[in-house]
Amino acid sequence: MAVGSDGRGLRVVGKPVRKVDGLSKCAGVTLFADDIVLPRMLFCKLHRAPVPHARIVRVDISKAARMPGVMAVLTGKDLPIPFGILPVSQDEHALCLDKVRFVGDPVAAVAAVDEDTAFDAMNAIEVEYEPLDAMMSIEEAIRKPSPRIHEYGDEGNIHKKIALEFGDVERGFHDADQVFEDTFYYEGSTHLPMEQHAAVAAVDPDGKLTVWSSTQTPHYVHRALAKVLNMPPARIRVIACPNGGGFGGKSDPFNHEIVVAKLSLLIGRPVKVTLTREEVFYCHRGRHPVLMQIKTGVTRDGAIKAMHFKSYLDGGGYGSYGVASTYYTGALQTVTYPVENYKFDGLRCFTNKPPCGPKRGHGTPQPRFALEVHLDKIAERLGIDPAALRLGHLVPPQSLTANYLRVGSMGLAKCIDAVVEGSGWKQKFRHLPSGKGIGLACSSYICGAGLPIYWNNMPHTGVQLKLDRGGGVAVFCGEIDIGQGSDTVLAQVVAEVLGIDPYDIRIVFGDTDLTPVDLGSYSSRVTLMMGNAAIQAAERARELLATAVSEKLGIPAERVGFGGGQVFDVEGPERALSFADAVVAAEARFGTIGTVGSYTPPPSAARYKGSGVGPSPAYSYSAAVVELDVDPRTGWVRVDRVHLAHDVGRCINPVLVVGQVEGSVYMGLGEALMEEQVFRANRGGVHRQPSLLEYKSPTTMEMPDVVTYIIEDPDPNGPFGAKEVGQGPLLPIAPAVVNAVYDAVGVRIDEVPVTPEKILKALDSPAKRFGPKGVPEVRWPDPIRVPTPWEGGTGRAAADRRPAEARR
Amino acid sequence: MPQNVKRRRGRGRDSAAASHSSRSKVHLRLRVNGEEQEVACAPHSTLLEVLREDLRLTGTKHGCELGECGTCTVLLDGRPQLSCLLLTLECEGRPIVTVEGLAEGPRPHPLQIAFAELGAAQCGYCTPGILCAARSLLDARPSPTRQEIREALSGNLCRCTGYLKIFEAVELAARRMKDPAAQPSEETLHGRRL
Amino acid sequence: MMRLPRFRYHAPATLGEAAAILQGEGSQAMVVAGGTDLYPNMKRRHQTPKTLIGLRKIDALRGVKGSPARGLWIGPATILTDLEESALVREHYPGLYEAIHSISTPILRNMGTIGGNICLDTRCNYYNQNYEWRRAINFCMKCDGDTCWVAPGSDVCLAVSSSDTAPILCAFGARIQLVSKKGTRTIEAKDLYRRDGIDYLTKRSDEILAGITLPPAARWRSSYRKLRRREAFDFPVLGVAACVRFDGEIVAEARLWLGAVSMAPVEAAEAQAALVGRRLTEETIEEAARLAYPLAKPVDNTDFGLRWRKEMTRHFVREALLEVGPPGSPSGRGN
Ligand SMILES: Cc1cc2nc3c(=O)[nH]c(=O)nc-3n(C[C@H](O)[C@H](O)[C@H](O)COP(=O)(O)OP(=O)(O)OC[C@H]3O[C@@H](n4cnc5c(N)ncnc54)[C@H](O)[C@@H]3O)c2cc1C
Ligand code: SF4
Ligand code: FES
Ligand code: FES
């Protein structure tokens, strides 16, 4: 149990503290990766494939290598060791070895004295290809098992197939009063951070390599570099620069990071690469396009007796986080409304497009969209108000779901109440004039993955404190601020425990040489995990100081309090030492004051194969109401206002929480209404619009008002009870938009983005619907059967419980 | 697909590998943030490149270099303009203000303080450009309406904030420039309470 | 970082000098005004002129002169923001004001000029891409390649005229002054354009656009409606320009031009004719819209699906005419 979860007496936590790096960012002083300039630095450019799928016959670098100013040219042979973020998908090469898998796959790299020269040299490289049939869609990849994009995977071009069943869905459908089925499609989209990825590598004469990069995961980059460069990790230092936006797009180790490292080792000079915007679209790892089918059996009052969810993911050319993404499309359906029996079939295809991966909400916005629109339809058919339907069937706090996710605090009821009341839902829903609509949706998200990406039993994060005699505190942690404000959260947590001003704290982050490992800024893990580790480290320091001060003041250690920069006797606060003097006392007593803290999530209740994805120390909850206008003559949608309530457990910094909510709503609206990462299948698989002008992201003119309600339902696993807010609030936006469009003009758009064209088509169609017609025929494997907790299950698959001889 | 490039009609371009025009540098005097700066740069260099690479004023960022995002915005002749589409040659002698020049000595500009305070800079990457655009707005209209702010900043993309905290920060800075004691609203800082 | 290719740069102070350099350098030279169209294109290697002639220093190319009664002269190198702020334009040529105000973003309008907008390169999703991207499709007819990927059978390039001011200038009957070493000629704005995505201007490469004249504004009412995904940054996927002169309540003359639906602005002649001699009512407007929209023949080379864009033409023509409104309506549509 973390301290302070009652929230009383907090001095720093819960306050709208100005970001500790805020003024530096506003002064233009913060150094991003591309801002790093080193003496004798060279520039790297990558030569990329112009074809979507082909064998490399010949790479001719001779012309490029001869050009004045070119220092080195690399090809795949120079970096033959594969890598990838997941241990099960080590399928990438820094430069393609024998095959290219999408337009934009890098084949060769040059380093030259300036970027102009590097650009010319990159274009002088000639590659001969033997074209292969390309897979440009989910259907095509399922239909055509060959040629295979990868030699590994479950079958043909299907990377991964999953089948899980919790309880008995057939029985559930049988017991239900009504069964509903819908098909949905969620188009792919990309993160589009304003900062284009950049990396700088330098070797020092003593053989140590340093790589600065705009990465969300310095630890994984460190591991990938050691592997591919075949170098001891101890000789490699990765420094994550503050990211100019990440959203999941900088969470994989990337080819360009490895390439500059190799070039730097070869040439002995620093090498920088800064991707163009087009290349950022090729790095991608964004939202998987997902085709989904959902079948739900409900009772008359809307209780879910059974749900069968199928998802088909378009994975792109490499594994990336894809196996995890696939599991995520089936994992979190159960944490909002109880699902008595649940079955999930999921598959991910390889296609000849840039690889998909984790984008804000990683694998969960798509199924959440399907589920929340599906429920809206069910509510209408059952004649129940959609808010009431949800409120009537909420997962209880402190409970286990059908798939053994342990829900802790659960503030969804309060979230729904807030948006319903705040928006005037009851007066508006189904009562607005034609063309005006209101829609509601809910969601939940994890606060960090319960398991690390590669198997190990070490902590997921560590925090180290060094207390200075002058009263300053240096906090070292491998976390990396990508804009979400993690530096500030870290400073606030430590300041709270030690009773000091957060601005007296210096944060040292994201440096594999200096900071303890933190797995990275992904899966909304940082506040919860780093926060807990920081509390532990700070409490250990506090203990040392309390002991020293209690001796000085002649009081028992339990009576020593911390606050306002003072260490004092709680029974007589005038008996006090300044924090600096307390450090001096402690240092005199114990020697140099440094402490560490770390955090490992609690063990999961789920023990079946595939249960690595979904368990989390806590779950955040959100509810959204969207109000919008639809012009029935044009199909144009204008969102007027979004109400969003988010259960953040405990709000560590309200202004940051509101900022994350607003940013999530923004990104959710982009996906709901306009963003598409799409390709021209009939034109050699090129990206349709790899530019900031043609990939449409909302401007100031499209952004509606957002009313944010912060709901605090502290979770025992969170630091001060805190849960995540960076990703969850995105999830309900797309379904709430679609539900509101239905309220406005009576058509169902079972697909995002909701474009005016689709609305007009739906208005013209007899079914008053636009969306996918069905799902491809697939032979699913026999599911892993897991008895639910209410069937007396233990979290293991049924087969595992059979006696040993039966298994043989 | 064959790799050879055939040339056709019109615009007289060669393979990108073969542009070899004038390589000699030009000497220029630039007025950046009130200081006279002398640079020697290639004639085809943009102001963005010279600011970042020659003058090491890396506060000015870039997101596309094609005029499509506003990240590289600086003030030229007092107006926000895109440094990625300005020829440095054409900026000679004209006043240039970058994010580094917004503060008055050690005192940040009220916009900078308000942005930091309200979390209008999340990752902070779009921020320098937006601050320049906002500063020019406040110079022209000391009390802009929300709609005027929206329009003035419509040429700057931000992927983090959803813009709302940015609007509020501009409004707060505008109020503070008249009344230093002005404070953000409760809802801005805490969300709405029911 | 996307960088410009190398070039030599000249900044003449007079039009004569500029014309002389342009003549001397031949087709290897180009003029640049704001550069907001040309520089992105150069960075993507669509155009790689050996010589650039900057127009910034030529004072004679800037400014707005005249009066609504006599008509206006606009210098082509006038910055769009300055035109937006000109009361003459805003009050008496509201359609032009709206067109200018709708261009790109306020920041780009601080840089771009109206001359550059008039000469704006045609656009296409297969063309406005980086060099490497275009290499992946083996280039296209407009630049470095042979085939039109939008319509592989086509022997003309179908790249879209995407200038916001072109249709409204055509509708106003603006005249364009072209200056070269060989002399000066003045043409109707509509004759500047050609339905060819490659050679989209009738202007010779040695000619400089030196002036734009607008006829007297008296009794003309005007409007411009633009369709695009976002209210900033985006080029039009459809622009409708309407200018109507009334005689009392009756339409004496009507000009209706469509932008961004073809390689050049398109005149909706039948729709114009249908309005003349009648009042501007729901029915006449509806009829004009019905007659105008078949002229829009969008192809799949911009944002949005082409069917929908075509359908929107009808709607936007209606909106543009409604906005013009009958005389005396309060909308400030001109005189
Ligand atoms: C992100 C973005 C969005 C945009 N959105 C829009 C939009 O919505 N609507 C729109 O219409 N435009 C848009 N533009 C295009 C452009 O910014 C404007 O059209 C602008 O007005 C062009 O003017 P300029 O002075 O910058 O042109 P330049 O780039 O200087 O010139 C453009 C062309 O015109 C020629 N030229 C310029 N002046 C003369 C002259 N006096 N004589 C002969 N030739 C000349 C040049 O040689 C060049 O070929 C956009 C541009 C960008 C980058
Ligand atoms: S219309 Fe055809 S030829 Fe013209 S730019 Fe587009 S693809 Fe190229
Ligand atoms: S860098 Fe995007 S507009 Fe200049
Ligand atoms: S704060 Fe990150 S892009 Fe605006």
Side-chain angles (χ1 to χ4, degrees):
Chain A
M1 175 82 185
V3 300
S5 53
D6 61 351
R8 269 178 301 149
L10 295 172
R11 292 160 185 260
V12 185
V13 161
K15 302 291 180 295
V17 169
R18 189 191 76 224
K19 286 175 72 158
V20 294
D21 51 357
L23 282 168
S24 294
K25 282 180 171 171
C26 293
V29 167
T30 302
L31 287 183
F32 295 88
D34 188 46
D35 300 336
I36 290 168
V37 178
L38 300 172
R40 302 176 73 230
M41 190 171 80
L42 303 171
F43 294 83
C44 165
K45 278 278 190 195
L46 298 168
H47 178 100
R48 295 174 182 272
V51 289
H53 196 193
R55 240 181 285 288
I56 299 171
V57 178
R58 195 177 54 90
V59 184
D60 184 352
I61 58 167
S62 56
K63 253 193 245 158
R66 276 199 309 272
M67 290 172 71
V70 172
M71 308 302 286
V73 185
L74 293 184
T75 66
K77 292 194 192 68
D78 299 303
L79 289 160
I81 302 173
F83 68 98
I85 183 72
L86 299 187
V88 295
S89 313
Q90 300 287 302
D91 60 359
E92 298 185 52
H93 284 92
L95 297 165
C96 294
L97 209 47
D98 45 6
K99 245 180 99 159
V100 298
R101 294 180 173 88
F102 62 91
V103 174
D105 219 359
V107 176
V110 300
V113 289
D114 56 36
E115 209 175 5
D116 281 343
T117 310
F119 176 80
D120 290 347
M122 173 264 284
N123 273 313
I125 293 170
E126 284 167 21
V127 186
E128 196 184 312
Y129 296 101
E130 180 193 320
L132 297 167
D133 220 7
M135 314 294 149
M136 294 307 293
S137 68
I138 297 166
E139 292 76 11
E140 206 174 358
I142 292 174
R143 204 173 63 239
K144 294 197 293 203
S146 74
R148 291 187 82 179
I149 295 172
H150 284 282
E151 288 311 313
Y152 82 107
D154 278 353
E155 65 187 59
N157 283 309
I158 297 177
H159 174 199
K160 184 74 190 170
K161 254 189 193 176
I162 298 162
L164 294 168
E165 183 166 359
F166 305 91
D168 181 345
V169 284
E170 281 316 315
R171 197 188 59 219
F173 287 133
H174 181 83
D175 293 347
D177 295 322
Q178 285 193 63
V179 177
F180 299 91
E181 189 174 288
D182 280 302
T183 313
F184 296 96
Y185 180 66
Y186 200 106
E187 186 54 272
S189 60
T190 201
H191 320 81
L192 210 78
M194 293 317 300
E195 178 205 28
Q196 300 143 314
H197 310 223
V200 182
V203 248
D204 67 34
D206 297 310
K208 289 222 169 88
L209 170 71
T210 304
V211 176
W212 291 260
S213 183
S214 39
T215 177
Q216 299 177 234
T217 53
H219 176 61
Y220 298 134
V221 173
H222 190 211
R223 286 169 55 86
L225 284 170
K227 181 182 182 202
V228 181
L229 300 173
N230 198 13
M231 245 176 103
R235 304 279 169 79
I236 304 173
R237 175 181 185 187
V238 176
I239 300 176
C241 300
N243 287 198
F247 315 114
K250 296 168 180 168
S251 308
D252 287 56
F254 280 106
N255 40 49
H256 61 264
E257 294 167 325
I258 298 167
V259 163
V260 287
K262 180 74 181 180
L263 284 167
S264 175
L265 286 167
L266 272 180
I267 307 166
R269 287 170 67 170
V271 182
K272 176 192 272 190
V273 66
T274 305
L275 301 188
T276 63
R277 179 52 61 180
E278 179 182 356
E279 291 177 291
V280 174
F281 280 93
Y282 298 147
C283 286
H284 192 44
R285 323 285 159 153
R287 185 83 70 230
H288 284 77
V290 186
L291 181 64
M292 293 161 286
Q293 194 169 57
I294 175 170
K295 182 175 167 190
T296 306
V298 293
T299 61
R300 249 175 300 278
D301 73 344
I304 300 173
K305 299 301 285 182
M307 181 185 293
H308 184 183
F309 198 96
K310 290 186 198 162
S311 57
Y312 306 74
L313 288 77
D314 182 342
Y318 292 96
S320 181
Y321 284 79
V323 171
S325 320
T326 312
Y327 278 107
Y328 271 124
T329 65
L332 301 191
Q333 278 84 333
T334 54
V335 296
T336 40
Y337 326 108
V339 178
E340 208 172 296
N341 299 282
Y342 179 58
K343 185 172 181 193
F344 169 60
D345 293 319
L347 69 77
R348 180 181 194 259
C349 312
F350 284 124
T351 52
N352 294 107
K353 308 182 211 175
C356 299
K359 181 186 171 194
R360 207 173 201 168
H362 190 189
T364 70
Q366 304 98 321
R368 182 52 63 180
F369 164 71
L371 174 56
E372 296 292 320
V373 177
H374 184 62
L375 278 183
D376 203 62
K377 299 184 190 189
I378 292 177
E380 168 146 77
R381 295 276 288 279
L382 296 178
I384 304 175
D385 176 275
L389 176 84
R390 289 169 170 88
L391 281 170
H393 305 280
L394 291 176
V395 165
Q398 315 302 335
S399 66
L400 271 185
T401 67
N403 54 343
Y404 289 87
L405 305 184
R406 200 190 310 269
V407 171
S409 82
M410 204 287 187
L412 186 52
K414 283 184 240 166
C415 293
I416 297 175
D417 288 343
V419 294
V420 161
E421 195 187 321
S423 67
W425 169 264
K426 289 188 182 128
Q427 296 79 53
K428 291 177 179 164
F429 179 68
R430 298 290 188 263
H431 297 308
L432 294 171
S434 168
K436 285 199 171 298
I438 189 166
L440 175 138
C442 302
S443 66
S444 174
Y445 197 63
I446 56 168
C447 305
L451 290 177
I453 277 175
Y454 64 97
W455 166 242
N456 69 78
N457 52 12
M458 292 175 282
H460 291 210
T461 187
V463 170
Q464 195 173 349
L465 300 188
K466 189 223 79 183
L467 277 59
D468 184 75
R469 294 174 186 181
V473 176
V475 182
F476 301 80
C477 177
E479 61 88 17
I480 173 72
D481 200 313
I482 61 174
Q484 85 281 45
S486 54
D487 285 4
T488 306
V489 168
L490 185 53
Q492 280 185 265
V493 166
V494 171
E496 181 66 51
V497 177
L498 296 181
I500 57 176
D501 183 337
Y503 299 107
D504 287 340
I505 290 173
R506 179 172 298 276
I507 304 286
V508 181
F509 57 83
D511 182 327
T512 59
D513 263 13
L514 301 183
T515 61
V517 166
D518 174 276
L519 294 180
S521 288
Y522 65 94
S523 91
S524 275
R525 49 178 297 291
V526 179
T527 292
L528 188 137
M529 299 200 190
M530 172 196 78
N532 280 324
I535 288 175
Q536 188 178 59
E539 284 184 337
R540 286 174 176 169
R542 199 165 67 164
E543 237 175 83
L544 297 176
L545 268 58
T547 308
V549 171
S550 74
E551 288 170 6
K552 258 217 131 94
L553 298 181
I555 55 171
E558 309 82 65
R559 259 172 56 193
V560 178
F562 289 72
Q566 302 280 309
V567 183
F568 52 85
D569 179 355
V570 288
E571 289 177 11
E574 67 289 349
R575 282 188 297 281
L577 263 64
S578 72
F579 183 76
D581 287 344
V583 175
V584 169
E587 194 168 338
R589 172 77 166 73
F590 299 108
T592 301
I593 304 295
T595 58
V596 293
S598 55
Y599 180 77
T600 310
S604 162
R607 302 290 164 79
Y608 52 90
K609 184 169 182 289
S611 64
V613 170
S616 174
Y619 297 87
S620 75
Y621 289 90
S622 333
V625 165
V626 167
E627 296 182 75
L628 49 70
D629 283 344
V630 183
D631 183 339
R633 292 165 305 174
T634 58
W636 201 268
V637 176
R638 171 135 209 123
V639 177
D640 295 326
R641 177 167 283 111
V642 176
H643 301 263
L644 198 135
H646 184 76
D647 166 21
V648 68
R650 162 82 53 221
C651 177
I652 294 198
N653 185 330
V655 78
L656 296 190
V657 169
V658 175
Q660 287 304 305
V661 168
E662 291 172 355
S664 295
V665 170
Y666 164 84
M667 199 163 269
L669 286 172
E671 291 183 21
L673 296 170
M674 57 180 84
E675 295 184 32
E676 289 180 282
Q677 164 109 339
V678 286
F679 300 82
R680 291 193 185 270
N682 62 344
R683 296 282 182 264
V686 288
H687 193 297
R688 258 183 104 94
Q689 68 286 63
S691 69
L692 283 177
L693 179 61
E694 293 302 330
Y695 179 94
K696 305 297 181 186
S697 68
T699 73
T700 56
M701 305 302 284
E702 281 73 42
M703 187 63 192
D705 284 347
V706 176
V707 183
T708 302
Y709 310 85
I710 300 177
I711 306 296
E712 295 186 273
D713 191 342
D715 194 285
N717 283 336
F720 303 101
K723 306 195 282 190
E724 75 90 40
V725 61
Q727 313 194 60
L730 179 146
L731 275 63
I733 300 306
V737 164
V738 162
N739 294 340
V741 166
Y742 179 73
D743 190 49
V745 289
V747 294
R748 286 291 177 188
I749 311 299
D750 290 339
E751 177 177 317
V752 293
V754 181
T755 61
E757 299 155 277
K758 291 177 188 171
I759 291 181
L760 280 197
K761 278 189 185 149
L763 281 166
D764 282 346
S765 75
K768 299 287 175 232
R769 169 182 186 264
F770 186 96
K773 303 232 156 38
V775 292
E777 275 298 310
V778 169
R779 257 206 15 249
W780 295 100
D782 279 342
I784 295 175
R785 288 178 200 284
V786 184
T788 58
W790 37 93
E791 288 175 328
T794 60
R796 292 180 198 280
D800 288 3
R801 289 195 312 160
R802 275 178 289 163
E805 55 273 27
R807 249 183 283 150
R808 254 185 271 126
Chain B
M1 231 172 266
Q3 288 292 290
N4 315 353
V5 179
K6 266 209 259 141
R7 282 189 48 199
R8 234 195 96 108
R9 292 178 80 168
R11 311 219 152 237
R13 64 153 273 96
D14 220 315
S15 122
S19 42
H20 291 290
S21 49
S22 150
R23 278 172 184 273
S24 58
K25 294 197 166 181
V26 287
H27 265 91
L28 299 174
R29 277 176 190 284
L30 298 177
R31 280 171 56 199
V32 185
N33 300 327
E35 277 173 60
E36 192 86 4
Q37 300 265 15
E38 215 170 309
V39 293
C41 65
H44 64 280
S45 62
T46 61
L47 182 61
L48 173 67
E49 293 155 19
V50 168
L51 287 174
R52 287 181 52 83
E53 294 164 7
D54 297 271
L55 299 176
R56 296 278 178 91
L57 291 170
T58 53
T60 301
K61 307 299 179 200
H62 57 101
C64 70
E65 306 96 63
L66 294 168
E68 301 176 351
C69 69
T71 309
C72 64
T73 304
V74 299
L75 297 176
L76 177 65
D77 300 331
R79 282 181 173 181
Q81 306 202 32
L82 301 176
S83 61
C84 72
L85 297 184
L86 284 166
L87 216 54
T88 314
L89 271 172
E90 294 201 340
C91 300
E92 188 161 32
R94 300 159 71 186
I96 299 164
V97 176
T98 68
V99 68
E100 289 92 345
L102 294 180
E104 272 167 44
R107 279 216 328 276
H109 190 276
L111 278 166
Q112 292 173 304
I113 297 171
F115 269 58
E117 211 172 296
L118 301 193
Q122 285 190 14
C123 77
Y125 199 79
C126 67
T127 311
I130 292 190
L131 285 169
C132 288
R135 153 79 191 273
S136 140
L137 170 70
L138 292 190
D139 286 350
R141 306 197 73 90
S143 307
T145 63
R146 178 61 70 95
Q147 189 58 21
E148 284 168 340
I149 298 170
R150 249 181 220 283
E151 285 191 21
L153 302 183
S154 65
N156 298 82
L157 291 178
C158 169
R159 284 293 279 179
C160 297
T161 60
Y163 307 110
L164 301 174
K165 285 281 168 282
I166 292 173
F167 301 158
E168 287 167 327
V170 175
E171 286 160 356
L172 178 61
R175 284 198 286 131
R176 281 215 182 121
M177 287 164 83
K178 289 179 272 307
D179 168 15
Q183 288 302 321
S185 77
E186 176 75 5
E187 183 168 345
T188 295
L189 296 177
H190 294 275
R192 185 170 297 179
R193 306 200 212 225
L194 280 172
Chain C
M1 184 106 90
M2 302 282 294
R3 290 172 202 261
L4 287 166
R6 296 185 174 88
F7 52 81
R8 273 192 308 279
Y9 180 77
H10 296 276
T14 67
L15 188 54
E17 243 179 284
I21 303 170
L22 196 52
Q23 166 89 7
E25 301 268 342
S27 64
Q28 298 284 26
M30 285 183 85
V31 301
V32 62
T36 60
D37 180 44
L38 185 60
Y39 293 148
N41 279 1
M42 287 173 65
K43 287 185 174 185
R44 291 172 145 172
R45 306 302 192 260
H46 295 119
Q47 284 116 31
T48 49
K50 294 273 176 294
T51 302
L52 271 190
I53 303 161
L55 301 180
R56 255 190 57 79
K57 294 224 163 106
I58 309 178
D59 291 337
L61 289 180
R62 273 198 307 274
V64 183
K65 285 181 236 160
S67 68
R70 279 180 293 127
L72 294 191
W73 177 90
I74 299 175
T78 313
I79 301 291
L80 296 169
T81 302
D82 293 338
L83 286 173
E84 238 178 307
E85 287 170 358
S86 149
L88 274 176
V89 173
R90 191 199 279 251
E91 282 159 28
H92 302 286
Y93 300 87
L96 178 60
Y97 166 78
E98 282 171 335
I100 292 170
H101 184 67
S102 77
I103 293 171
S104 60
T105 72
I107 302 177
L108 278 157
R109 295 199 295 276
N110 286 337
M111 309 169 69
T113 65
I114 185 160
N117 190 262
I118 291 169
C119 298
L120 180 74
D121 196 0
T122 53
R123 298 185 63 85
C124 168
N125 279 348
Y126 288 93
Y127 171 71
N128 298 103
Q129 301 280 4
N130 293 355
Y131 182 78
E132 295 74 38
W133 189 99
R134 291 184 293 118
R135 182 171 55 199
I137 58 158
N138 205 17
F139 304 100
C140 82
M141 197 199 289
K142 184 162 159 78
C143 187
D144 305 320
D146 300 313
T147 311
C148 171
W149 295 111
V150 174
S154 176
D155 52 10
V156 295
C157 158
L158 306 171
V160 181
S161 166
S162 306
S163 156
D164 278 305
T165 62
I168 191 77
L169 291 173
C170 291
F172 272 122
R175 294 171 69 77
I176 306 286
Q177 192 189 19
L178 298 168
V179 171
S180 71
K181 197 83 200 336
K182 302 193 188 95
T184 300
R185 62 184 180 120
T186 302
I187 60 171
E188 294 272 326
K190 67 180 162 67
D191 296 326
L192 182 64
Y193 299 104
R194 188 189 275 148
R195 290 181 76 146
D196 177 338
I198 296 171
D199 290 318
Y200 59 97
L201 293 179
T202 58
K203 178 182 87 60
R204 297 192 312 268
S205 66
D206 67 334
E207 284 179 320
I208 297 173
L209 207 156
I212 303 139
T213 45
L214 290 172
R219 296 199 315 284
W220 282 98
R221 297 171 65 84
S222 59
S223 74
Y224 180 74
R225 294 281 296 170
K226 172 175 180 175
L227 176 60
R228 53 176 159 174
R229 183 86 61 163
R230 306 175 294 181
E231 275 181 56
F233 287 104
D234 289 349
F235 283 92
V237 295
L238 167 69
V240 177
C243 292
V244 179
R245 189 168 60 79
F246 288 94
D247 203 348
E249 293 275 287
I250 306 296
V251 174
E253 215 177 323
R255 311 237 189 84
L256 203 56
W257 282 76
L258 309 180
V261 293
S262 178
M263 300 84 92
V266 175
E267 182 172 18
E270 275 185 71
Q272 291 172 175
L275 291 172
V276 174
R278 300 165 73 180
R279 278 173 223 277
L280 213 52
T281 62
E282 288 279 337
E283 296 86 80
T284 51
I285 287 175
E286 190 56 55
E287 188 182 342
R290 186 176 54 76
L291 291 168
Y293 97 104
L295 294 171
K297 295 199 168 60
V299 290
D300 182 20
N301 58 356
T302 69
D303 190 18
F304 288 120
L306 43 125
R307 276 240 211 77
W308 184 78
R309 279 163 59 205
K310 185 171 177 109
E311 223 171 296
M312 286 308 105
T313 311
R314 189 168 181 158
H315 184 69
F316 272 63
V317 168
R318 197 193 296 120
E319 297 242 305
L321 288 171
L322 280 173
E323 210 172 306
V324 166
S329 56
S331 49
R333 294 286 106 208
N335 303 274

